Amino acid sequence: MFYNTNDYLKSFNRPNVHLITEPIQEITHDSILLKNTQDASVKEVELDAIIYATGFDVLESTKNMDIKNPKNGKSLSTIWGETPNAYLGIMAAEIPNFFIILGPATGLGHNSVVFMIERQVDFIINMITQNIEQGHAVVEVKEEANTAYQESIRKQTKDRVFSSGCDSWYQNSEGFTYILWPSHCVSYWWRTLFINRNHFNFS
């Protein structure tokens, strides 16, 4: 079914639809508490469900994942800080056995992102299969391998249109475009086609 984009604005004329802009103070088991910024009063709005969407604040959406290094308890959001990064956009350094689909620097502005997803799924399946066959229970990308990869991403990104001075949600507070893949799809296909086991620690 096709929905005209004008229907979104029309929906606000329905009696059961309200645009609420007050900040949320608290979420209870059956309502949200809204804080009035003028007089600090609190209004309760009863509800059945909450759909939490961050829109285009991609960085904020990574900060609520409580994923930690089992050895030192360091969280993924702390490791990433303001610049999420992952080897091939798939494996985050310092977090063993953690795989991401559509991770940092794998979004596309020029092609179908489904291609990237397919390549990442193939890579993950290959990695898991090889580890099972070789008797490894844990895999972690080496820090130096990830660092070298991130340096190559930064070098390529610097010359792309999204880093030419136009601000966008692709960038962090430093102006670095950490979301998009900076090359063509064939390049990503080649990088994910084979697993360079020298780039990983296994146990």
Side-chain angles (χ1 to χ4, degrees):
M1 183 178 293
F2 174 76
Y3 290 95
N4 189 302
T5 53
N6 291 332
D7 291 343
Y8 171 75
L9 296 177
K10 290 178 182 178
S11 68
F12 286 103
N13 293 321
R14 294 169 56 180
N16 63 335
V17 176
H18 307 282
L19 176 64
I20 299 174
T21 60
E22 294 98 327
I24 297 175
Q25 175 176 294
E26 183 181 347
I27 297 176
T28 71
H29 70 284
D30 61 357
S31 67
I32 56 174
L33 303 182
L34 305 173
K35 185 175 182 179
N36 188 315
T37 56
Q38 302 296 323
D39 59 13
S41 61
V42 176
K43 178 173 69 175
E44 182 177 20
V45 178
E46 295 185 358
L47 45 79
D48 297 317
I50 296 175
I51 300 174
Y52 177 72
T54 62
F56 293 110
D57 194 345
V58 181
L59 182 60
E60 189 63 30
S61 69
T62 66
K63 294 182 177 179
N64 61 357
M65 296 187 290
D66 190 24
I67 300 169
K68 296 181 179 179
N69 182 307
K71 295 179 182 177
N72 57 27
K74 199 172 181 182
S75 69
L76 180 63
S77 59
T78 301
I79 295 168
W80 276 356
E82 293 295 306
T83 310
N85 67 88
Y87 178 84
L88 297 176
I90 299 173
M91 299 180 69
E94 299 187 56
I95 306 290
N97 288 354
F98 177 63
F99 302 95
I100 314 166
I101 293 176
L102 286 185
T106 63
L108 294 179
H110 57 70
N111 211 312
S112 171
V113 78
V114 174
F115 175 84
M116 306 296 274
I117 294 172
E118 291 172 343
R119 291 309 314 139
Q120 291 158 11
V121 169
D122 282 348
F123 180 91
I124 293 169
I125 291 173
N126 288 340
M127 176 66 81
I128 293 173
T129 301
Q130 288 184 25
N131 289 349
I132 292 173
E133 291 173 348
Q134 298 185 23
H136 299 304
V138 178
V139 58
E140 182 177 357
V141 63
K142 293 179 180 178
E143 186 66 41
E144 57 268 28
N146 184 59
T147 298
Y149 178 78
Q150 299 311 320
E151 288 175 355
S152 72
I153 291 294
R154 280 187 174 271
K155 184 177 180 181
Q156 294 179 76
T157 299
K158 184 176 61 175
D159 299 324
R160 300 298 181 257
V161 65
F162 290 105
S163 300
S164 63
C166 57
D167 294 331
S168 72
W169 60 273
Y170 296 124
Q171 301 168 338
N172 64 7
S173 59
E174 301 171 358
F176 174 58
T177 306
Y178 69 93
I179 295 175
L180 295 177
W181 172 245
S183 187
H184 46 76
C185 289
V186 173
S187 172
Y188 191 75
W189 166 79
W190 183 254
R191 283 177 177 257
T192 56
L193 186 59
F194 307 102
I195 294 175
N196 187 338
R197 298 186 70 82
N198 293 325
H199 289 180
F200 303 94
N201 290 319
F202 302 93
S203 58

